[in-house]
Amino acid sequence: MRENPDYALTDTAAVRELIRVSPWATMVSATEDGLVASHYPFILDEGASDEDDIVVVSHVGRPDERLHRLGTRELLVIFEGPYGYISPGWYGVSPAVPTWNFAVVHAYGTPELLSDEENLAVLERLVDHFEDPLPEPFRMRRDELNAEYAERIVRGTVGFRMRVERFVAKDKMSQDKPAEVVDRVIEALDSPGPYENPRLAAWMRRVHGR
């Protein structure tokens, strides 16, 4: 990413929160055959890290583990938080130009491949993580038949854990604008229209302490 200290996100807790709310990520590897990119859900491995560490777990469908050479080289995982177009017409000042607000984390590390047993546990945690908000969560081991099915399909996936060795993150949310302009942008994002974006508006409120 382009270096811009005005929007740099360096707080580990804030990066963990962005990963927590934006679990669908892009993973990129540089291999002898060229760049390889895939898309999978990631969750924080809370038990394997403390407040100063970031550890994530996920899984890939075979043969993506071979395509990425997982476990043998550095992996880049990109987490995109809220983002959206910002019209200069919302500023109420001139001169002005359009821009995009966004939050993103580039996380780097070398994955550790998991055993089938550990992989099944990760898959179960992934399912629980996304099912928990539902009124009737679906559990992988809800009955014997489903448990047996889960144990069969796990062989078609490869689980991994990645300790983030370094990250580059940005949180560009109109920090360079006066408070009244920020308020107008938030109001516009919350209003009906082609660029309505309540998730981005909420994130801007958090960043600006609204």
Side-chain angles (χ1 to χ4, degrees), residues 125-201:
R125 286 170 55 195
L126 281 164
V127 171
D128 288 346
H129 176 81
F130 295 109
E131 286 288 325
D132 281 347
L134 297 175
E136 297 182 17
F138 188 100
R139 304 302 181 191
M140 276 179 53
R141 300 179 186 274
R142 61 185 299 166
D143 54 43
E144 184 177 350
L145 184 62
N146 216 77
E148 291 175 355
Y149 177 67
E151 290 169 5
R152 287 200 308 274
I153 66 168
V154 74
R155 291 190 287 272
T157 69
V158 174
F160 64 92
R161 175 182 294 109
M162 188 181 91
R163 184 173 297 277
V164 176
E165 296 159 0
R166 61 191 176 93
F167 66 80
V168 179
K170 297 288 180 67
D171 203 5
K172 179 181 177 295
M173 295 289 155
S174 300
Q175 292 95 325
D176 59 333
K177 297 295 186 290
E180 60 272 16
V181 171
V182 170
D183 289 340
R184 284 195 287 270
V185 170
I186 292 173
E187 182 181 1
L189 291 170
D190 265 335
S191 301
Y195 296 112
E196 181 179 1
N197 194 334
R199 185 169 180 243
L200 180 57

Side-chain angles (χ1 to χ4, degrees), residues 23-44:
W24 184 252
T26 301
M27 47 188 281
V28 182
S29 299
T31 74
E32 299 90 344
D33 300 322
L35 292 175
V36 179
S38 299
H39 310 273
Y40 287 97
F42 286 73
I43 58 173
L44 292 166

Side-chain angles (χ1 to χ4, degrees), residues 85-93 96-99:
Y85 178 75
I86 306 299
S87 169
W90 300 339
Y91 292 169
V93 297
V97 294
T99 189

